């Protein structure tokens, strides 16, 4: 079946609607390991949405292309062909193309050729170790980790932390509402998980990244069918350079308890700092200098008074 969920990427909905009307083409991401879960989901018609592990159906008025990634399965190819010939555009002829043999018109319909997720892992058909997803939370009062099977983008809970194991790359996804204990716990768990892997994986050959919600790279997004950029868009924007960092650097930042006032004020927010509690990262002397009172007296103030003071000092 086809689930139509037109994403808009970094465009506004109005811009995406105009673009779709102008090029009158649609792109469907076909992904799934079983007949029950393999389906096509409409995504933004851009080349950057492709990935080497799956099948994509590009429907145009006079032609329907079925693009087979190097690592796609026979089931995904079958479902892609079915969508092209019986659902998307029955009247247009279907043309199957393998990754690397695309005609010029294919790229033109997608707005031009762009980089997309094409790592060796994604380009490997039926990998021995498929991607695995783990949910990390301390909602029960302690850090708990649970594997999620048949995962989807909806499993990225913004109050928690997610670990995506892609074998040679491991991503620690930090939800916008995750607390500091979950962030540090997720990063530490990912490192311990790789170091104790019973399959004999070489930890030195694995790169562990921390990624913040809203800054997911192509090699992360490729493991989710029909990635929708509008899904749970974080309200607080994070600078691009802080969106993706090495886990080791992120842990080092978390272990640093204090920051200068200049690094916390005027909308600045270092990696690992809770944007709603910046005052907690000032040392005692600078806290007294900024607020004119010690930390204990500040904590005894009414909530509204503390918020007003933080706004006045540009720490909120």
């Amino acid at each position: 079946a086809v689930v139509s969920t037109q994403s808009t990427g970094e465009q506004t909905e109005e811009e995406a609607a105009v673009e779709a009307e102008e090029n009158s083409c649609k792109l469907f991401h076909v992904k799934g390991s079983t007949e029950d879960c393999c389906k096509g989901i409409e995504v933004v018609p851009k080349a950057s949405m492709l990935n080497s592990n799956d099948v994509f159906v590009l429907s145009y008025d006079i032609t329907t292309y079925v693009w087979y990634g190097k690592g796609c399965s026979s089931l995904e190819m079958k479902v892609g062909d079915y969508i092209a010939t019986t659902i998307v555009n029955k009247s247009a002829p279907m043309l199957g193309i393998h990754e690397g043999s695309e005609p010029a018109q294919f790229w033109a319909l997608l707005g031009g050729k762009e980089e997309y997720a094409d790592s060796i892992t994604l380009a490997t058909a039926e990998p021995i170790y498929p991607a695995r997803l783990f949910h990390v939370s301390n909602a029960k009062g302690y850090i708990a980790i649970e594997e999620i099977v048949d995962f989807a983008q909806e499993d990225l809970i913004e109050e928690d932390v997610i670990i995506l194991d892609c074998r040679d790359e491991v991503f620690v996804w930090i939800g916008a509402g995750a607390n500091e204990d979950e962030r540090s716990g997720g990063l530490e768990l990912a490192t311990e998980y790789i170091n104790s892997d019973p399959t004999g994986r070489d930890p030195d050959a694995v790169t562990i990244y921390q990624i913040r919600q809203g800054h997911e790279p192509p090699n992360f997004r490729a493991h989710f069918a029909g990635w929708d950029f509008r899904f749970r868009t974080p309200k607080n924007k994070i600078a691009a350079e802080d969106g993706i960092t090495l886990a080791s650097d992120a842990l080092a930042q978390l272990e640093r308890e204090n920051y200068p006032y200049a690094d916390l004020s005027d909308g600045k927010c270092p990696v690992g700092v809770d944007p709603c509690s910046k005052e907690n990262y000032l040392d005692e002397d600078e806290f007294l200098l900024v607020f004119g009172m010690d930390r204990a007296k500040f904590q005894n103030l009414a909530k509204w008074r503390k918020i007003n003071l933080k706004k006045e000092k540009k720490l909120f």
Side-chain angles (χ1 to χ4, degrees):
V2 175
V3 180
S4 180
T5 55
Q6 179 77 26
S7 303
T8 59
E10 298 177 353
Q11 303 168 301
T12 64
E13 292 188 30
E14 292 78 10
E15 290 171 338
V18 170
E19 180 178 303
E21 184 176 351
E22 287 177 348
N23 63 23
S24 66
C25 69
K26 293 185 177 182
L27 183 67
F28 296 87
H29 180 189
V30 181
K31 187 179 187 67
S33 57
T34 66
E35 291 188 359
D36 291 336
C37 71
C38 191
K39 58 187 176 182
I41 301 179
E42 187 180 0
V43 296
V44 177
K46 295 172 61 177
S48 59
M49 297 300 293
L50 303 174
N51 81 75
S52 297
N53 196 240
D54 300 322
V55 168
F56 288 80
V57 177
L58 178 61
S59 176
Y60 185 56
D61 290 339
I62 58 174
T63 307
T64 297
Y65 292 103
V66 183
W67 185 88
Y68 310 119
K70 293 178 181 178
C72 72
S73 67
S74 58
L75 173 62
E76 289 165 338
M77 295 176 71
K78 177 182 177 182
V79 172
D81 291 349
Y82 174 79
I83 290 173
T85 56
T86 64
I87 297 178
V88 174
N89 191 346
K90 297 179 181 180
S91 60
M94 185 200 91
L95 178 62
I97 52 175
H98 290 272
E99 181 178 4
S101 61
E102 301 86 356
Q105 186 189 39
F106 176 82
W107 297 120
L109 290 172
L110 292 175
K113 191 172 183 179
E114 298 179 79
E115 290 187 2
Y116 59 85
D118 60 352
S119 67
I120 294 176
T121 302
L122 290 172
T124 303
E126 300 181 5
I128 299 174
Y129 302 104
R132 301 174 69 186
L133 193 80
F134 301 89
H135 173 224
V136 179
S137 174
N138 68 348
K140 298 179 180 179
Y142 56 88
I143 294 293
I145 182 169
E146 178 184 5
E147 183 169 8
I148 301 174
V149 296
D150 295 328
F151 56 85
Q153 189 177 357
E154 289 77 9
D155 293 311
L156 301 178
I157 303 172
E158 60 184 350
E159 291 80 18
D160 296 319
V161 168
I162 296 293
I163 297 174
L164 177 64
D165 177 14
C166 304
R167 195 62 186 173
D168 55 346
E169 293 180 319
V170 173
F171 299 98
V172 182
W173 181 89
I174 310 296
N179 59 51
E180 188 169 326
D181 288 341
E182 289 169 333
R183 293 199 296 271
S184 60
L187 290 165
E188 291 169 357
L189 279 171
T191 303
E192 294 172 7
Y193 167 71
I194 297 304
N195 289 335
S196 60
D197 188 348
T199 65
R201 178 167 23 177
D202 180 5
D204 293 333
V206 180
T207 305
I208 306 176
Y209 297 98
Q210 173 189 269
I211 59 174
R212 306 298 290 264
Q213 181 180 353
H215 291 269
E216 298 84 0
N219 282 354
F220 179 91
R221 302 195 306 263
H223 293 280
F224 299 84
W227 183 269
D228 187 346
F229 287 91
R230 298 170 298 178
F231 181 75
R232 294 176 182 163
T233 303
K235 296 179 181 179
N236 295 325
K237 297 294 183 181
I238 295 173
E241 61 268 22
D242 296 328
I244 305 176
T245 56
L246 290 173
S248 56
D249 293 342
L251 275 171
Q253 288 283 357
L254 284 170
E255 291 170 357
R256 178 179 172 178
E257 296 182 358
N258 297 323
Y259 290 87
Y261 173 69
D263 290 348
L264 296 167
S265 58
D266 291 326
K268 300 174 184 176
C269 189
V271 174
V273 168
D274 183 347
C276 297
S277 304
K278 292 181 180 179
E279 72 281 3
N280 292 338
Y281 299 87
L282 295 170
D283 65 29
E284 296 303 325
D285 291 338
E286 196 158 27
F287 189 98
L288 182 61
L289 182 64
V290 171
F291 289 102
M293 66 184 79
D294 60 28
R295 203 179 299 273
K297 186 174 181 180
F298 179 84
Q299 292 300 333
N300 287 329
L301 296 175
K303 183 177 180 180
W304 66 268
R305 177 61 176 154
K306 288 190 285 187
I307 291 175
N308 285 344
L309 277 174
K310 290 196 290 184
K311 288 181 178 178
E312 179 184 325
K313 303 302 179 181
K314 299 180 180 180
L315 288 172
F316 190 81

